[in-house]
Amino acid sequence: MRTKATELVGIDVPIFAFSHCRDVVAAVTNAGGLGVLGAVAHSPEQLDIDLRWIEEEVGGRPYGIDLLVPEKFVGSDQGGLDRDTLLSLLPVEHQEFLEDLLTRYGVPPLPDDVEFGRGMGGMRVDPKSMAPLLDVCFDHRPRLVASALGPPPAHFLERAHSAGVPVAALAGSVDHAVKHADAGADLIVAQGSEAGGHTGLIATMVLVPEVVEAVGSVPVLAAGGIASGRQLAAGMALGADGAWCGSVWLTTEEAETSPAIRDKFLRARSGDTVRSRSMTGKPARMLRSPWTDEWERADGPGPLPMPIQPLLIAPAMARIARVSDKAGTGANDLATYFVGQVVGSMNTVRPTRRVVQEMVEEFIDAVERLARLLETD
Ligand SMILES: Cc1cc2nc3c(=O)[nH]c(=O)nc-3n(C[C@H](O)[C@H](O)[C@H](O)COP(=O)(O)O)c2cc1C
C-alpha cells in the first residue's frame, strides 16, 4: 500500500503505532508499519538504551519517537519553574484530599526504598527535562518525530528538519491541525475524541475529513477508535493516508501493561472510558474507575492543571500500582490507565505482529466488499 504517509517514512502498510513499549515499536516496524516510541516518561539514559535496542531489532527499518513538546505550561512564562518549586505549590487541600482517598481505599504507603518517578511526576514536559531527551532523540536515527500538546515549537521543527526527519503533530480540532500545518508539520495526526490519552471533543468520523480538507497537501493520519482493518479502511475512506493507533497495542503479548490493568481492559466495554483531568491535569481518555469518579466529586477540590497534577499524584500512582494486582482490593478498584473507546473490542491477547497482519487482511476484505457494491452484474 502506498500513500503520502507511507512514502514520507518508507513503510509498507499505513499503520503507525504509538507505544511506550519498545517491543511493540519494534514488532510493528518489523511487520511493515511504523512503531513510534512514546518517550515522555523516559529518562535520557533509558531512551538511549531503548533506541539502541530498537535499532538493533529493526535492522535499518524505520521507527519514530513521540515527545510531548508543549508550547505553554504552568510556569513556562516565569522562565520554567523547576520540580522543587512546583512541589512547593501543591495546595494542602489537594494533598489532604488525596491522602484521604488512599486511606479510604486501604492503599498502604510506599516503603522507604521505593522510587516513584522523577521529572515532573514521571512526565518530562518542562523545557529543562525535555532538552536532554531531544539530544538523545537526534543522536539516533528516527524516521519520524512526533509532538503532541500544541504546534511543534520552531526549535524542534528546525532541529528535526536539519536532521532530515519529518515531524508529526497531533490535532484534536481543525484549528489545531491548521496551526500545526502552518507551523511546518509534515504529517498531521487527526485524533478524535474516542482516542486514549489526551483528547478533544470531536469524534474521528467528523474530524478526519474536516482536517483533510483544511490542511491541503499535508498528509493526514486518522487516529482514535482504530483497532481493526475495517476501522483502518473507514479512516482512509475519510481521506486519511493511514492510521495512528495507540490503545490496541496495550493488550498485545509484548505490551508492558500491568496485569491488573490488562485484565480490566480485556473485560471493559466501549462505554467504560471517561475523559478525565485526574492523571495529567488535561482532559485525557482513560478507563473509568473509582479514581476518576473521586476526582469528579462536587465536594472535592478537582484536579490541578498540568504539570502540577501529575506531580501531585505520582506518589499515589506508585502506591496504587504496587499493590493493585490483588483483585478485590481498593488499590485494584482505583487502578486506571489511558485507553480509548476501542477498549470494548480489545478482548484477546495477541502478538503485535498478528494485530498488524489481521488489520491488513481485514482492510483488504473491507475494501473488496465495498468494491463489490459497485459491480453491475
Ligand atoms: C496509554 C496511552 C498513552 C498515550 N500517550 C501519548 C503521548 O504521550 N503522546 C502522544 O502524542 N499521544 C499519546 N497517546 C495518544 C496516541 O498517540 C494516539 O493518538 C491514540 O491512542 C489513538 O487513539 P486510540 O487510542 O483509539 O488508538 C496515548 C494513548 C494511549 C492509549
Side-chain angles (χ1 to χ4, degrees):
M1 267 187 260
R2 293 176 85 175
T3 71
K4 281 190 283 184
T6 62
E7 300 277 286
L8 183 71
V9 296
I11 52 175
D12 298 327
V13 295
I15 297 173
F16 292 66
F18 172 92
S19 176
H20 294 118
C21 171
R22 65 185 193 181
D23 302 71
V24 170
V25 171
V28 172
T29 285
N30 284 333
L34 190 91
V36 180
L37 185 70
V40 69
H42 276 65
S43 65
E45 298 74 29
Q46 191 58 47
L47 183 60
D48 186 48
I49 291 168
D50 283 1
L51 295 183
R52 279 174 203 274
W53 184 90
I54 290 170
E55 286 175 351
E56 187 104 328
E57 287 292 305
V58 301
R61 290 192 189 86
Y63 73 90
I65 306 171
D66 179 288
L67 296 163
L68 298 180
V69 190
E71 208 179 20
K72 271 194 280 193
F73 70 103
V74 174
S76 63
D77 50 343
Q78 291 124 35
L81 296 181
D82 63 17
R83 187 171 182 272
D84 289 340
T85 313
L86 287 169
L87 276 173
S88 72
L89 293 177
L90 295 180
V92 174
E93 187 194 3
H94 285 77
Q95 297 184 51
E96 287 176 355
F97 168 80
L98 192 51
E99 195 51 48
D100 172 65
L101 192 162
L102 296 173
T103 307
R104 279 188 288 114
Y105 284 82
V107 182
L110 284 181
D112 289 342
D113 55 343
V114 174
E115 247 199 272
F116 56 81
R118 290 164 296 173
M120 308 307 251
M123 290 179 66
R124 289 166 195 272
V125 293
D126 59 309
K128 217 166 146 191
S129 318
M130 184 54 63
L133 276 187
L134 289 178
D135 289 344
V136 174
C137 173
F138 290 110
D139 280 347
H140 285 268
R141 292 265 164 275
R143 194 67 195 85
L144 184 76
V145 287
S147 151
L149 293 188
H155 69 90
F156 183 58
L157 278 159
E158 275 161 27
R159 198 160 173 189
H161 287 163
S162 64
V165 183
V167 175
L170 276 78
S173 72
V174 175
D175 292 351
H176 288 165
V178 170
K179 276 194 191 140
H180 298 352
D182 288 349
D186 306 285
L187 181 66
I188 305 290
V189 180
Q191 190 204 248
S193 182
E194 53 271 66
H198 292 125
T199 186
L201 289 168
I202 317 294
T204 304
M205 185 74 140
V206 173
L207 180 69
V208 173
E210 284 182 357
V211 170
V212 168
E213 293 261 314
V215 300
S217 60
V218 182
V220 174
L221 299 178
I226 299 178
S228 73
R230 275 178 291 166
Q231 288 160 333
L232 170 61
M236 294 182 71
L238 296 173
D241 296 290
W244 173 281
C245 313
S247 294
V248 69
W249 318 111
L250 294 169
T251 49
T252 56
E253 273 180 19
E254 292 86 348
E256 286 160 1
T257 313
S258 78
I261 296 289
R262 193 194 53 197
D263 291 351
K264 285 188 173 195
F265 284 175
L266 292 171
R267 285 197 311 269
R269 316 273 304 259
S270 49
D272 291 341
T273 70
V274 64
R275 265 175 99 243
S276 164
R277 297 202 299 114
S278 62
M279 298 262 271
T280 68
K282 281 182 180 281
R285 189 171 297 285
M286 60 192 76
L287 200 67
R288 184 178 170 189
S289 83
W291 169 270
T292 57
D293 289 348
E294 290 280 350
W295 280 101
E296 287 300 312
R297 275 170 48 168
D299 61 347
L304 294 162
M306 180 184 270
I308 307 180
Q309 181 72 4
L311 205 58
L312 170 76
I313 67 161
M317 287 285 119
R319 279 170 69 175
I320 294 169
R322 201 175 67 88
V323 290
S324 63
D325 285 348
K326 272 200 204 113
T329 59
N332 184 275
D333 288 348
L334 287 172
T336 179
Y337 194 54
F338 307 110
V339 76
Q341 292 177 339
V342 285
V343 72
S345 52
M346 290 158 48
N347 302 321
T348 53
V349 177
R350 291 175 288 168
T352 299
R353 169 175 281 276
R354 185 149 17 110
V355 174
V356 176
Q357 283 166 348
E358 289 181 5
M359 277 179 82
V360 172
E361 284 161 17
E362 198 186 281
F363 171 89
I364 295 167
D365 287 349
V367 172
E368 286 177 353
R369 190 174 63 81
L370 294 177
R372 278 199 300 278
L373 299 177
L374 298 177
E375 288 170 8
T376 45
D377 49 350

Coordinates of all heavy atoms in Angstrom, one line a residue, residues 243-287:
A243 N -3.4 5.2 9.4 CA -4.0 5.3 10.8 C -2.9 5.3 11.8 O -1.8 4.8 11.6 CB -4.8 4.1 11.1
W244 N -3.2 6.0 12.9 CA -2.2 6.1 14.0 C -3.0 5.5 15.2 O -4.0 6.1 15.6 CB -1.9 7.6 14.2 CG -1.1 8.0 15.4 CD1 -1.6 8.1 16.7 CD2 0.2 8.4 15.5 NE1 -0.6 8.6 17.6 CE2 0.5 8.8 16.8 CE3 1.2 8.5 14.5 CZ2 1.8 9.2 17.2 CZ3 2.5 9.0 14.9 CH2 2.8 9.3 16.3
C245 N -2.5 4.4 15.7 CA -3.3 3.7 16.8 C -2.4 3.6 18.1 O -1.2 3.5 18.0 CB -3.5 2.3 16.3 SG -4.1 2.1 14.7
G246 N -3.1 3.7 19.2 CA -2.5 3.6 20.5 C -3.0 2.6 21.4 O -2.3 1.7 21.9
S247 N -4.3 2.6 21.5 CA -4.9 1.6 22.5 C -4.7 0.2 22.2 O -4.4 -0.6 23.1 CB -6.4 1.9 22.6 OG -6.7 3.2 23.2
V248 N -4.8 -0.2 20.9 CA -4.9 -1.6 20.5 C -3.6 -2.4 20.9 O -3.7 -3.6 21.2 CB -5.1 -1.7 19.0 CG1 -3.9 -1.2 18.2 CG2 -5.5 -3.2 18.6
W249 N -2.5 -1.6 21.1 CA -1.2 -2.3 21.4 C -1.2 -2.7 22.9 O -0.3 -3.4 23.4 CB 0.0 -1.5 21.0 CG -0.2 -0.8 19.7 CD1 -0.4 0.5 19.5 CD2 -0.3 -1.5 18.4 NE1 -0.6 0.7 18.1 CE2 -0.6 -0.5 17.5 CE3 -0.2 -2.8 18.0 CZ2 -0.7 -0.8 16.1 CZ3 -0.4 -3.1 16.7 CH2 -0.6 -2.1 15.7
L250 N -2.1 -2.1 23.7 CA -1.9 -2.2 25.2 C -2.3 -3.6 25.7 O -1.9 -4.0 26.8 CB -2.9 -1.2 25.9 CG -2.5 0.3 25.7 CD1 -3.6 1.2 26.2 CD2 -1.1 0.5 26.4
T251 N -3.0 -4.4 24.9 CA -3.3 -5.8 25.3 C -2.6 -6.8 24.4 O -3.0 -8.0 24.3 CB -4.8 -6.1 25.2 OG1 -5.3 -5.6 24.0 CG2 -5.5 -5.4 26.4
T252 N -1.5 -6.4 23.7 CA -0.7 -7.3 23.0 C 0.2 -8.1 23.9 O 0.4 -7.7 25.1 CB 0.2 -6.6 21.9 OG1 1.0 -5.7 22.6 CG2 -0.6 -5.9 20.9
E253 N 0.7 -9.2 23.4 CA 1.7 -10.0 24.2 C 2.9 -9.3 24.7 O 3.4 -9.5 25.8 CB 2.1 -11.2 23.4 CG 1.2 -12.4 23.4 CD 1.7 -13.6 22.6 OE1 2.9 -13.7 22.2 OE2 0.8 -14.4 22.3
E254 N 3.3 -8.3 23.8 CA 4.6 -7.6 24.1 C 4.3 -6.5 25.1 O 5.3 -5.9 25.7 CB 5.2 -7.0 22.8 CG 5.7 -8.1 21.9 CD 4.7 -8.6 20.9 OE1 3.4 -8.3 21.2 OE2 5.0 -9.3 20.0
A255 N 3.1 -6.0 25.2 CA 2.8 -4.8 26.0 C 3.3 -4.9 27.4 O 3.2 -6.0 28.0 CB 1.4 -4.4 25.9
E256 N 3.7 -3.8 28.0 CA 4.2 -3.8 29.4 C 3.0 -3.4 30.4 O 3.3 -3.1 31.5 CB 5.4 -2.9 29.6 CG 6.6 -3.4 29.0 CD 7.7 -2.3 28.7 OE1 7.4 -1.1 29.0 OE2 8.7 -2.7 28.2
T257 N 1.8 -3.4 29.9 CA 0.6 -3.1 30.7 C 0.6 -4.0 31.9 O 0.8 -5.2 31.8 CB -0.6 -3.3 29.9 OG1 -0.4 -2.7 28.6 CG2 -1.9 -2.7 30.5
S258 N 0.3 -3.4 33.1 CA 0.3 -4.3 34.3 C -0.8 -5.3 34.2 O -1.8 -5.0 33.6 CB 0.2 -3.4 35.5 OG -1.2 -3.0 35.7
P259 N -0.6 -6.4 34.9 CA -1.7 -7.5 34.8 C -3.1 -6.9 35.2 O -4.1 -7.3 34.6 CB -1.2 -8.6 35.7 CG 0.3 -8.4 35.8 CD 0.5 -6.9 35.6
A260 N -3.1 -6.1 36.3 CA -4.4 -5.6 36.8 C -5.1 -4.8 35.7 O -6.3 -4.9 35.5 CB -4.2 -4.7 38.0
I261 N -4.3 -3.9 35.1 CA -4.9 -3.0 34.0 C -5.3 -3.8 32.8 O -6.3 -3.7 32.2 CB -3.9 -1.9 33.7 CG1 -3.7 -1.0 34.9 CG2 -4.4 -1.1 32.5 CD1 -4.8 -0.1 35.3
R262 N -4.4 -4.8 32.4 CA -4.7 -5.6 31.2 C -6.0 -6.3 31.4 O -6.8 -6.4 30.5 CB -3.5 -6.5 31.0 CG -3.6 -7.2 29.6 CD -2.7 -8.3 29.4 NE -2.9 -9.3 30.5 CZ -2.1 -10.2 30.9 NH1 -0.9 -10.4 30.2 NH2 -2.3 -11.0 31.9
D263 N -6.2 -6.9 32.6 CA -7.4 -7.7 32.8 C -8.6 -6.8 32.8 O -9.6 -7.2 32.2 CB -7.3 -8.4 34.2 CG -6.3 -9.5 34.2 OD1 -5.8 -9.8 33.1 OD2 -6.0 -10.1 35.3
K264 N -8.5 -5.6 33.3 CA -9.6 -4.6 33.2 C -9.9 -4.3 31.8 O -11.1 -4.2 31.4 CB -9.3 -3.3 34.0 CG -9.4 -3.5 35.5 CD -9.2 -2.1 36.2 CE -9.5 -2.2 37.7 NZ -9.7 -0.8 38.3
F265 N -8.9 -4.0 31.0 CA -9.0 -3.7 29.6 C -9.7 -4.9 28.8 O -10.6 -4.6 28.0 CB -7.7 -3.4 28.9 CG -7.1 -2.1 29.2 CD1 -5.8 -1.8 28.7 CD2 -7.8 -1.2 29.9 CE1 -5.3 -0.5 29.0 CE2 -7.2 0.1 30.2 CZ -5.9 0.4 29.8
L266 N -9.3 -6.1 29.1 CA -9.9 -7.2 28.4 C -11.4 -7.4 28.7 O -12.1 -7.8 27.9 CB -9.1 -8.5 28.7 CG -7.7 -8.6 28.2 CD1 -7.0 -9.8 28.8 CD2 -7.6 -8.7 26.7
R267 N -11.8 -7.0 29.9 CA -13.2 -7.1 30.3 C -14.0 -5.9 29.9 O -15.3 -5.9 29.9 CB -13.3 -7.3 31.8 CG -12.9 -8.6 32.3 CD -13.4 -8.8 33.8 NE -13.1 -7.7 34.6 CZ -12.0 -7.7 35.4 NH1 -11.1 -8.6 35.4 NH2 -11.8 -6.6 36.2
A268 N -13.4 -4.7 29.7 CA -14.1 -3.4 29.6 C -14.9 -3.4 28.3 O -14.6 -4.0 27.3 CB -13.1 -2.3 29.6
R269 N -16.0 -2.6 28.4 CA -16.9 -2.3 27.2 C -16.5 -1.0 26.7 O -15.9 -0.2 27.4 CB -18.4 -2.4 27.6 CG -18.7 -3.6 28.6 CD -19.1 -4.8 27.8 NE -20.2 -4.6 26.9 CZ -21.4 -4.9 27.1 NH1 -21.8 -5.5 28.2 NH2 -22.4 -4.7 26.2
S270 N -17.1 -0.7 25.5 CA -16.7 0.6 24.9 C -17.2 1.8 25.6 O -16.6 2.9 25.5 CB -17.1 0.7 23.4 OG -18.5 0.3 23.3
G271 N -18.2 1.6 26.5 CA -18.7 2.8 27.3 C -18.0 3.0 28.6 O -18.4 3.8 29.4
D272 N -16.9 2.2 28.8 CA -16.3 2.2 30.2 C -15.1 3.2 30.3 O -14.3 3.1 31.2 CB -15.8 0.8 30.5 CG -16.9 -0.1 30.8 OD1 -18.0 0.3 31.1 OD2 -16.7 -1.4 30.7
T273 N -15.0 4.1 29.3 CA -13.9 5.1 29.4 C -14.5 6.5 29.7 O -15.7 6.7 29.6 CB -13.0 5.2 28.1 OG1 -13.9 5.9 27.1 CG2 -12.6 3.9 27.6
V274 N -13.6 7.4 30.2 CA -14.1 8.7 30.5 C -12.9 9.7 30.2 O -11.8 9.3 30.3 CB -14.5 8.8 32.0 CG1 -13.3 8.5 32.9 CG2 -15.1 10.1 32.4
R275 N -13.3 10.9 29.8 CA -12.3 12.0 29.6 C -12.1 12.6 31.0 O -13.1 13.1 31.6 CB -12.8 13.1 28.7 CG -12.3 12.9 27.3 CD -12.9 14.0 26.4 NE -12.1 15.1 26.1 CZ -12.3 16.3 26.5 NH1 -13.4 16.6 27.2 NH2 -11.5 17.3 26.1
S276 N -10.9 12.5 31.5 CA -10.7 13.0 32.9 C -9.4 13.8 33.0 O -8.4 13.4 32.3 CB -10.6 11.7 33.8 OG -10.1 12.0 35.1
R277 N -9.4 14.8 33.9 CA -8.1 15.5 34.1 C -7.3 15.0 35.3 O -6.3 15.6 35.7 CB -8.5 17.0 34.3 CG -9.1 17.7 33.1 CD -9.0 19.2 33.1 NE -9.6 19.8 34.3 CZ -8.9 20.4 35.3 NH1 -7.6 20.6 35.2 NH2 -9.6 21.0 36.3
S278 N -7.8 13.8 35.8 CA -7.3 13.4 37.1 C -5.8 12.8 37.0 O -5.2 12.7 38.1 CB -8.2 12.3 37.6 OG -8.2 11.2 36.7
M279 N -5.3 12.5 35.8 CA -4.0 12.0 35.7 C -3.0 13.0 35.4 O -1.9 13.1 35.9 CB -3.9 10.9 34.7 CG -4.8 9.7 35.1 SD -3.9 8.4 35.9 CE -3.4 7.5 34.4
T280 N -3.3 13.9 34.4 CA -2.2 14.8 33.9 C -2.6 16.3 34.1 O -1.8 17.1 33.8 CB -2.0 14.6 32.4 OG1 -3.2 15.0 31.7 CG2 -1.7 13.2 32.0
G281 N -3.9 16.5 34.4 CA -4.3 17.9 34.6 C -5.0 18.4 33.3 O -5.6 19.5 33.3
K282 N -4.8 17.7 32.2 CA -5.5 18.0 30.9 C -6.5 16.8 30.6 O -6.2 15.7 31.0 CB -4.5 18.1 29.8 CG -3.8 19.4 29.7 CD -2.9 19.5 28.5 CE -2.1 20.8 28.4 NZ -3.0 21.9 27.9
P283 N -7.6 17.1 29.9 CA -8.5 16.0 29.7 C -7.9 14.9 28.9 O -7.3 15.1 27.8 CB -9.6 16.7 28.8 CG -9.4 18.1 29.0 CD -8.0 18.4 29.3
A284 N -7.9 13.7 29.4 CA -7.3 12.5 28.8 C -8.3 11.4 28.9 O -8.9 11.2 30.0 CB -6.0 12.2 29.4
R285 N -8.5 10.6 27.9 CA -9.4 9.4 28.0 C -8.7 8.3 28.6 O -7.6 7.9 28.3 CB -9.9 9.0 26.6 CG -11.1 8.0 26.7 CD -11.8 7.8 25.4 NE -12.4 8.9 24.8 CZ -13.6 9.4 25.3 NH1 -14.2 8.9 26.3 NH2 -14.1 10.5 24.7
M286 N -9.4 7.7 29.6 CA -8.9 6.5 30.4 C -10.0 5.7 30.8 O -11.2 6.1 30.6 CB -8.1 7.1 31.6 CG -8.9 7.9 32.5 SD -7.9 8.8 33.7 CE -7.2 10.1 32.8
L287 N -9.7 4.5 31.4 CA -10.7 3.7 31.9 C -11.4 4.3 33.1 O -10.6 4.9 34.0 CB -10.1 2.3 32.3 CG -11.0 1.2 32.4 CD1 -11.6 0.8 31.0 CD2 -10.3 0.0 33.0

